[in-house]
Amino acid sequence: MAANFWKSSQRQEWMADRDEIKKAQQRDINVLSVEEQNHLKLFYLNVIQLLGGKLAVKQQIIATASIYFKRFYLRNSWTSIEPYLLAISCVYLGTKVEEYGPISARKVLDKAKQVATEHGDPLIADYKQAQIVECEFILLESLDCSLVIYHAYRPLMNFVEDAKLDKDFVSLAWRIVNDSLRSDLCFLYPPYLIAIGCLHFASIVKNQDLSVWLGGLNICTEEIMEVTQILLDTYNLMKHYQPRAIQGICNKLKMFVKNKDHAAGNYRRSIGR
């Protein structure tokens, strides 16, 4: 495990520029439009949040699972594995990596079925424990075993202490960091800059001037503005997100996600194995 973000595999292998992200979206353009891919990603990231809530795990596990999910589809087609199966496996792997304690595949699967029943998932299948375990191995392979994630939560709390912000402000900033997981910020900027961007966004919402404190950080203002704009774009996407439309998007995807009884089927074929 690297001692810090700058020496980590996250920094060296999993940062991407906007062109790489756009290229990934074009991979499935004949199946799903960019807008449909964005809505699908938002849907399953919400599912991961709900599943984490059902399991009563800490937010860091949910954040780790969310980034695993986004990493997989940055490098693989939406048609390679059923997204719900992958989402479940991301949470299962996240509980192990973050050392939450023993949570069985059966428990994760049972809670996933509850989420599907209560909130609806167009691609839900009667998954077996073996499929969750198999998908976990596929996920490990795709992530190249780069499992340690540096999140924005720790630098956020350090900055909060330095800026001497009150509890209401901190609570809002924390929620914004949570919502940032719905964006591609984790590929574009280091955790400390995401944290600063979330604090800046919170200051706008609260109409609280942080300009003096921000000015003392010796951070590029342009980068802070870029993070803030991505957050704003993400909230606009969330605002116009229509859960009912997901059914149609998933029906389109379902036509291409084949061999559902074998989770690895399409993935193995896509990498020539």
Side-chain angles (χ1 to χ4, degrees):
M1 174 180 171
N4 58 61
F5 167 79
W6 301 106
K7 296 180 180 180
S8 69
S9 61
Q10 181 176 348
R11 170 67 181 85
Q12 296 173 9
E13 300 175 22
W14 286 102
M15 299 300 285
D17 57 28
R18 287 174 172 81
D19 288 339
E20 185 176 349
I21 293 171
K22 289 179 180 178
K23 185 177 179 180
Q25 292 173 326
Q26 291 300 312
R27 183 192 301 120
D28 289 315
I29 200 65
N30 292 329
V31 180
L32 300 169
S33 69
V34 171
E35 182 180 18
E36 287 173 330
Q37 292 178 51
N38 287 336
H39 281 272
L40 198 64
K41 179 171 66 175
L42 185 58
F43 174 78
Y44 284 108
L45 291 173
N46 288 342
V47 165
I48 288 173
Q49 184 74 45
L50 291 168
L51 178 54
K54 286 288 184 184
L55 291 165
V57 299
K58 58 185 180 180
Q59 178 61 31
Q60 184 156 327
I61 291 174
I62 295 170
T64 294
S66 298
I67 291 179
Y68 288 168
F69 186 87
K70 291 190 292 185
R71 282 184 177 183
F72 183 88
Y73 286 116
L74 180 68
R75 305 248 173 113
N76 297 280
S77 168
W78 280 100
T79 66
S80 59
I81 290 180
E82 285 188 17
Y84 195 80
L85 178 60
L86 184 72
I88 298 169
S89 300
C90 287
V91 174
Y92 181 50
L93 179 59
T95 62
K96 296 180 179 180
V97 173
E98 298 294 345
E99 300 179 347
Y100 180 74
I103 296 183
S104 67
R106 167 50 56 191
K107 181 176 181 180
V108 175
L109 190 56
D110 287 344
K111 296 299 183 182
K113 289 180 178 178
Q114 288 182 28
V115 171
T117 300
E118 294 172 10
H119 299 277
D121 180 69
L123 280 180
I124 187 63
D126 187 19
Y127 298 129
K128 308 298 182 185
Q129 290 186 63
Q131 289 175 289
I132 303 299
V133 174
E134 180 186 27
C135 190
E136 180 190 17
F137 280 111
I138 292 170
L139 180 60
L140 284 166
E141 181 179 12
S142 183
L143 295 176
D144 197 24
C145 292
S146 298
L147 304 179
V148 175
I149 307 292
Y150 289 87
H151 295 292
Y153 299 107
R154 181 172 293 180
L156 176 75
M157 298 313 295
N158 290 336
F159 289 136
V160 160
E161 183 177 354
D162 182 62
K164 297 179 174 55
L165 299 169
D166 61 44
K167 290 183 178 180
D168 287 343
F169 194 104
V170 174
S171 178
L172 174 60
W174 185 276
R175 293 197 301 272
I176 294 171
V177 172
N178 291 345
D179 291 337
S180 76
L181 295 168
R182 272 73 171 172
S183 72
D184 292 318
L185 281 170
C186 64
F187 298 129
L188 297 168
Y189 296 99
Y192 84 93
L193 200 52
I194 296 173
I196 293 172
C198 291
L199 285 170
H200 179 251
F201 197 97
S203 73
I204 296 172
V205 174
K206 300 281 286 185
N207 195 27
Q208 184 170 335
D209 187 8
L210 290 184
S211 58
V212 175
W213 178 78
L214 288 171
L217 294 178
N218 195 27
I219 301 293
C220 176
T221 303
E222 183 178 347
E223 290 184 320
I224 298 175
M225 293 301 106
E226 288 174 355
V227 173
T228 304
Q229 183 59 53
I230 292 173
L231 287 169
L232 180 60
D233 293 342
T234 301
Y235 280 117
N236 284 333
L237 175 64
M238 293 168 65
K239 180 180 178 181
H240 294 97
Y241 168 71
Q242 297 179 346
R244 292 181 180 179
I246 289 296
Q247 179 69 58
I249 297 172
C250 287
N251 285 342
K252 287 179 64 176
L253 182 61
K254 191 174 183 179
M255 296 169 60
F256 294 88
V257 181
K258 301 176 182 178
N259 199 9
K260 293 192 297 180
D261 291 334
H262 182 52
N266 284 1
Y267 177 78
R268 296 299 185 195
R269 287 194 294 276
S270 71
I271 60 175
R273 296 185 183 180

